[in-house]
PDB file of all heavy atoms in Angstrom:
ATOM      1  N   ASN A  52     -26.543 -21.096  26.289  1.00  0.00           N
ATOM      2  CA  ASN A  52     -25.342 -21.169  25.322  1.00  0.00           C
ATOM      3  C   ASN A  52     -24.056 -20.800  26.226  1.00  0.00           C
ATOM      4  O   ASN A  52     -24.032 -19.708  26.763  1.00  0.00           O
ATOM      5  CB  ASN A  52     -25.522 -20.253  24.276  1.00  0.00           C
ATOM      6  CG  ASN A  52     -24.281 -20.242  23.301  1.00  0.00           C
ATOM      7  OD1 ASN A  52     -23.915 -21.241  22.766  1.00  0.00           O
ATOM      8  ND2 ASN A  52     -23.661 -19.014  23.071  1.00  0.00           N
ATOM      9  N   PRO A  53     -23.117 -21.728  26.282  1.00  0.00           N
ATOM     10  CA  PRO A  53     -21.859 -21.385  27.042  1.00  0.00           C
ATOM     11  C   PRO A  53     -20.956 -20.544  26.231  1.00  0.00           C
ATOM     12  O   PRO A  53     -19.933 -20.931  25.698  1.00  0.00           O
ATOM     13  CB  PRO A  53     -21.268 -22.880  27.274  1.00  0.00           C
ATOM     14  CG  PRO A  53     -21.788 -23.649  26.125  1.00  0.00           C
ATOM     15  CD  PRO A  53     -23.093 -23.123  25.795  1.00  0.00           C
ATOM     16  N   GLY A  54     -21.431 -19.292  26.034  1.00  0.00           N
ATOM     17  CA  GLY A  54     -20.516 -18.223  25.350  1.00  0.00           C
ATOM     18  C   GLY A  54     -20.434 -16.926  26.101  1.00  0.00           C
ATOM     19  O   GLY A  54     -21.246 -16.721  27.064  1.00  0.00           O
ATOM     20  N   ALA A  55     -19.755 -15.966  25.475  1.00  0.00           N
ATOM     21  CA  ALA A  55     -19.494 -14.705  26.169  1.00  0.00           C
ATOM     22  C   ALA A  55     -20.790 -13.970  26.357  1.00  0.00           C
ATOM     23  O   ALA A  55     -21.129 -13.245  27.356  1.00  0.00           O
ATOM     24  CB  ALA A  55     -18.589 -13.948  25.343  1.00  0.00           C
ATOM     25  N   THR A  56     -21.789 -13.971  25.381  1.00  0.00           N
ATOM     26  CA  THR A  56     -23.003 -13.208  25.374  1.00  0.00           C
ATOM     27  C   THR A  56     -23.914 -13.661  26.525  1.00  0.00           C
ATOM     28  O   THR A  56     -24.488 -12.916  27.296  1.00  0.00           O
ATOM     29  CB  THR A  56     -23.758 -13.303  24.133  1.00  0.00           C
ATOM     30  OG1 THR A  56     -22.870 -12.744  23.037  1.00  0.00           O
ATOM     31  CG2 THR A  56     -25.036 -12.426  24.136  1.00  0.00           C
ATOM     32  N   ASN A  57     -23.913 -15.022  26.658  1.00  0.00           N
ATOM     33  CA  ASN A  57     -24.817 -15.530  27.735  1.00  0.00           C
ATOM     34  C   ASN A  57     -24.173 -15.314  29.152  1.00  0.00           C
ATOM     35  O   ASN A  57     -24.941 -15.011  30.175  1.00  0.00           O
ATOM     36  CB  ASN A  57     -25.113 -17.035  27.522  1.00  0.00           C
ATOM     37  CG  ASN A  57     -26.254 -17.495  28.368  1.00  0.00           C
ATOM     38  OD1 ASN A  57     -27.180 -16.698  28.641  1.00  0.00           O
ATOM     39  ND2 ASN A  57     -26.238 -18.763  28.826  1.00  0.00           N
ATOM     40  N   VAL A  58     -22.927 -15.383  29.202  1.00  0.00           N
ATOM     41  CA  VAL A  58     -22.185 -14.984  30.440  1.00  0.00           C
ATOM     42  C   VAL A  58     -22.464 -13.532  30.759  1.00  0.00           C
ATOM     43  O   VAL A  58     -22.518 -13.206  31.984  1.00  0.00           O
ATOM     44  CB  VAL A  58     -20.670 -15.250  30.283  1.00  0.00           C
ATOM     45  CG1 VAL A  58     -19.937 -14.759  31.551  1.00  0.00           C
ATOM     46  CG2 VAL A  58     -20.484 -16.815  30.190  1.00  0.00           C
ATOM     47  N   LEU A  59     -22.474 -12.690  29.807  1.00  0.00           N
ATOM     48  CA  LEU A  59     -22.894 -11.284  30.077  1.00  0.00           C
ATOM     49  C   LEU A  59     -24.227 -11.133  30.660  1.00  0.00           C
ATOM     50  O   LEU A  59     -24.461 -10.335  31.563  1.00  0.00           O
ATOM     51  CB  LEU A  59     -22.839 -10.418  28.729  1.00  0.00           C
ATOM     52  CG  LEU A  59     -23.194  -9.010  28.766  1.00  0.00           C
ATOM     53  CD1 LEU A  59     -22.173  -8.264  29.742  1.00  0.00           C
ATOM     54  CD2 LEU A  59     -23.156  -8.364  27.455  1.00  0.00           C
ATOM     55  N   ARG A  60     -25.200 -11.975  30.241  1.00  0.00           N
ATOM     56  CA  ARG A  60     -26.503 -11.941  30.833  1.00  0.00           C
ATOM     57  C   ARG A  60     -26.524 -12.317  32.310  1.00  0.00           C
ATOM     58  O   ARG A  60     -27.386 -11.755  33.051  1.00  0.00           O
ATOM     59  CB  ARG A  60     -27.406 -12.887  30.056  1.00  0.00           C
ATOM     60  CG  ARG A  60     -27.771 -12.501  28.589  1.00  0.00           C
ATOM     61  CD  ARG A  60     -28.792 -13.338  27.907  1.00  0.00           C
ATOM     62  NE  ARG A  60     -29.118 -12.974  26.592  1.00  0.00           N
ATOM     63  CZ  ARG A  60     -28.662 -13.646  25.454  1.00  0.00           C
ATOM     64  NH1 ARG A  60     -27.868 -14.747  25.640  1.00  0.00           N
ATOM     65  NH2 ARG A  60     -28.993 -13.165  24.286  1.00  0.00           N
ATOM     66  N   ILE A  61     -25.702 -13.238  32.670  1.00  0.00           N
ATOM     67  CA  ILE A  61     -25.767 -13.706  34.008  1.00  0.00           C
ATOM     68  C   ILE A  61     -24.688 -13.246  34.993  1.00  0.00           C
ATOM     69  O   ILE A  61     -24.697 -13.563  36.085  1.00  0.00           O
ATOM     70  CB  ILE A  61     -25.750 -15.293  34.084  1.00  0.00           C
ATOM     71  CG1 ILE A  61     -24.414 -15.786  33.484  1.00  0.00           C
ATOM     72  CG2 ILE A  61     -26.935 -15.793  33.317  1.00  0.00           C
ATOM     73  CD1 ILE A  61     -24.198 -17.326  33.578  1.00  0.00           C
ATOM     74  N   SER A  62     -23.812 -12.313  34.464  1.00  0.00           N
ATOM     75  CA  SER A  62     -22.712 -11.856  35.335  1.00  0.00           C
ATOM     76  C   SER A  62     -22.517 -10.347  35.010  1.00  0.00           C
ATOM     77  O   SER A  62     -23.357  -9.522  35.252  1.00  0.00           O
ATOM     78  CB  SER A  62     -21.495 -12.690  35.143  1.00  0.00           C
ATOM     79  OG  SER A  62     -21.075 -12.632  33.820  1.00  0.00           O
ATOM     80  N   ASN A  63     -21.300 -10.078  34.537  1.00  0.00           N
ATOM     81  CA  ASN A  63     -20.918  -8.672  34.272  1.00  0.00           C
ATOM     82  C   ASN A  63     -19.991  -8.645  33.054  1.00  0.00           C
ATOM     83  O   ASN A  63     -19.595  -9.686  32.439  1.00  0.00           O
ATOM     84  CB  ASN A  63     -20.260  -7.939  35.520  1.00  0.00           C
ATOM     85  CG  ASN A  63     -19.026  -8.860  35.935  1.00  0.00           C
ATOM     86  OD1 ASN A  63     -18.113  -9.104  35.175  1.00  0.00           O
ATOM     87  ND2 ASN A  63     -19.112  -9.395  37.126  1.00  0.00           N
ATOM     88  N   LYS A  64     -19.677  -7.325  32.616  1.00  0.00           N
ATOM     89  CA  LYS A  64     -18.945  -7.164  31.372  1.00  0.00           C
ATOM     90  C   LYS A  64     -17.451  -7.764  31.521  1.00  0.00           C
ATOM     91  O   LYS A  64     -16.919  -8.210  30.509  1.00  0.00           O
ATOM     92  CB  LYS A  64     -18.855  -5.738  31.036  1.00  0.00           C
ATOM     93  CG  LYS A  64     -20.211  -5.130  30.630  1.00  0.00           C
ATOM     94  CD  LYS A  64     -20.065  -3.554  30.304  1.00  0.00           C
ATOM     95  CE  LYS A  64     -21.456  -3.109  29.979  1.00  0.00           C
ATOM     96  NZ  LYS A  64     -21.382  -1.639  29.739  1.00  0.00           N
ATOM     97  N   LEU A  65     -16.815  -7.658  32.588  1.00  0.00           N
ATOM     98  CA  LEU A  65     -15.530  -8.117  32.832  1.00  0.00           C
ATOM     99  C   LEU A  65     -15.447  -9.579  32.733  1.00  0.00           C
ATOM    100  O   LEU A  65     -14.566 -10.135  31.983  1.00  0.00           O
ATOM    101  CB  LEU A  65     -14.954  -7.667  34.196  1.00  0.00           C
ATOM    102  CG  LEU A  65     -13.477  -8.135  34.556  1.00  0.00           C
ATOM    103  CD1 LEU A  65     -12.550  -7.633  33.519  1.00  0.00           C
ATOM    104  CD2 LEU A  65     -13.129  -7.830  35.971  1.00  0.00           C
ATOM    105  N   THR A  66     -16.396 -10.336  33.295  1.00  0.00           N
ATOM    106  CA  THR A  66     -16.406 -11.846  33.138  1.00  0.00           C
ATOM    107  C   THR A  66     -16.639 -12.205  31.789  1.00  0.00           C
ATOM    108  O   THR A  66     -16.065 -13.120  31.240  1.00  0.00           O
ATOM    109  CB  THR A  66     -17.470 -12.342  34.075  1.00  0.00           C
ATOM    110  OG1 THR A  66     -17.247 -11.942  35.395  1.00  0.00           O
ATOM    111  CG2 THR A  66     -17.536 -13.935  34.088  1.00  0.00           C
TER     112      THR A  66
END
Side-chain angles (χ1 to χ4, degrees):
N52 178 56
T56 303
N57 198 32
V58 172
L59 179 62
R60 290 189 179 101
I61 63 177
S62 61
N63 54 60
K64 293 178 182 179
L65 178 60
T66 303

